[in-house]
Amino acid sequence: VHISYYDTSFRDLKYATCSAVCSQASSWTTLTIDSTGIVGHSSSIAIDSSDTIHISYRASQLKHIKYATCSSSCSTVSSWTTTTIDNSGEATDPSIVVDSNDDVHIAYRTNIYASSTSNLMHTTCSSSCSSAASWTSTVVTSATGYYSYISIAVDSNDGVHISYAKQRSGTLGYRSLDYATCSSSCSSTSSWTNITVDDPPNGATYNSIAVDSNDRVHIVYHQSGAGQSGLGHGLRPDSYTHLRAHETR
């Protein structure tokens, strides 16, 4: 078992692993991967077919997106390599996944505060990913307002699927649940399709996306309404359907 996380005491990116009897705290090994400034927010972890570990995370002070990887002896700090893959100064909310070819994909957002706009970004790397030059980044979509709560998945054909919340025009906090997908040539913005999955009155926020063995896309997310909040589920066999999985008042 592998976990990446942010250490709030030391403001570092940390990693925890356990190979057996993981219900006992003593079975876990933890170490600091990156301690350069304030790093580790919004970390996301994926494992490829060779059990190489891939982590995306945010350097909060610099507002950069960073990437850490380790192929063996990962309980030793020296086995890890860290790289800045977006140094625009306004990047956040990364989510990572590895496809069947062991290509690494990261979705995240960049903010353009001068114009109050946001870009949903996709960046990918097929080899030598510890070099920033190996990454190819694409603007998936742009809008007035801000994207947030980003999650990424791939299907059996290596199609890329991203769920995210999009701020409604003219509102400070209300967001719709949106979805972007690309089946090929994903380094071109025109290859991406974007839709709104759900737009509840008081917004949709925290979400996570997954693809099942039949390539059906599932998104679980939080939605709020007047005097209530709940957990929603969006299913896309050919088009999205919705249900409220849990509700509190």
Side-chain angles (χ1 to χ4, degrees):
V1 181
H2 307 267
I3 303 173
S4 67
Y5 61 103
Y6 174 65
D7 183 331
T8 57
S9 297
F10 297 97
R11 300 179 177 181
D12 298 333
L13 174 69
K14 297 195 74 172
Y15 163 74
T17 186
C18 172
S19 58
V21 198
C22 297
S23 58
Q24 295 181 7
S26 59
S27 300
W28 288 84
T29 299
T30 64
L31 73 154
T32 299
I33 296 174
D34 192 346
S35 59
T36 306
I38 301 174
V39 290
H41 279 109
S42 305
S43 75
S44 179
I45 191 169
I47 313 293
D48 68 25
S49 63
S50 300
D51 290 335
T52 296
I53 304 168
H54 307 267
I55 300 173
S56 63
Y57 59 104
R58 186 185 189 222
S60 298
Q61 266 183 320
L62 300 174
K63 298 179 182 178
H64 293 172
I65 298 299
K66 299 189 73 173
Y67 164 77
T69 187
C70 175
S71 58
S72 62
S73 303
C74 297
S75 58
T76 303
V77 175
S78 59
S79 299
W80 288 85
T81 302
T82 63
T83 308
T84 298
I85 59 174
D86 188 310
N87 62 358
S88 63
E90 300 297 347
T92 189
D93 290 350
S95 179
I96 196 169
V97 71
V98 178
D99 68 24
S100 65
N101 296 310
D102 286 342
D103 292 351
V104 184
H105 303 259
I106 300 173
Y108 64 100
R109 66 167 166 138
T110 58
N111 298 325
I112 307 170
Y113 290 106
S115 57
S116 298
T117 59
S118 183
N119 295 326
L120 178 66
M121 304 294 298
H122 169 257
T123 189
T124 187
C125 174
S126 57
S127 63
S128 303
C129 296
S130 295
S131 169
S134 299
W135 291 83
T136 300
S137 299
T138 306
V139 176
V140 174
T141 185
S142 300
T144 301
Y146 299 108
Y147 301 121
S148 54
Y149 307 108
I150 296 165
S151 181
I152 190 171
V154 292
D155 61 34
S156 64
N157 297 308
D158 293 331
V160 184
H161 307 266
I162 303 172
S163 61
Y164 58 101
K166 182 175 74 174
Q167 181 182 352
R168 283 196 209 122
S169 178
T171 69
L172 292 176
Y174 295 151
R175 299 172 174 89
S176 60
L177 174 68
D178 283 41
Y179 164 77
T181 187
C182 173
S183 59
S184 62
S185 303
C186 297
S187 59
S188 172
T189 300
S190 61
S191 298
W192 289 86
T193 300
N194 308 276
I195 64 167
T196 296
V197 174
D198 196 7
D199 193 8
N202 286 356
T205 52
Y206 308 97
N207 69 82
S208 183
I209 193 169
V211 181
D212 67 23
S213 60
N214 295 309
D215 283 341
R216 294 177 298 186
V217 182
H218 303 259
I219 304 173
V220 63
Y221 58 102
H222 177 266
Q223 56 180 330
S224 297
Q228 62 185 31
S229 64
L231 182 67
H233 169 231
L235 167 65
R236 182 182 179 270
D238 292 304
S239 61
Y240 272 101
T241 56
H242 311 92
L243 61 89
R244 186 181 295 275
H246 176 69
E247 179 177 288
T248 58
R249 295 179 183 271

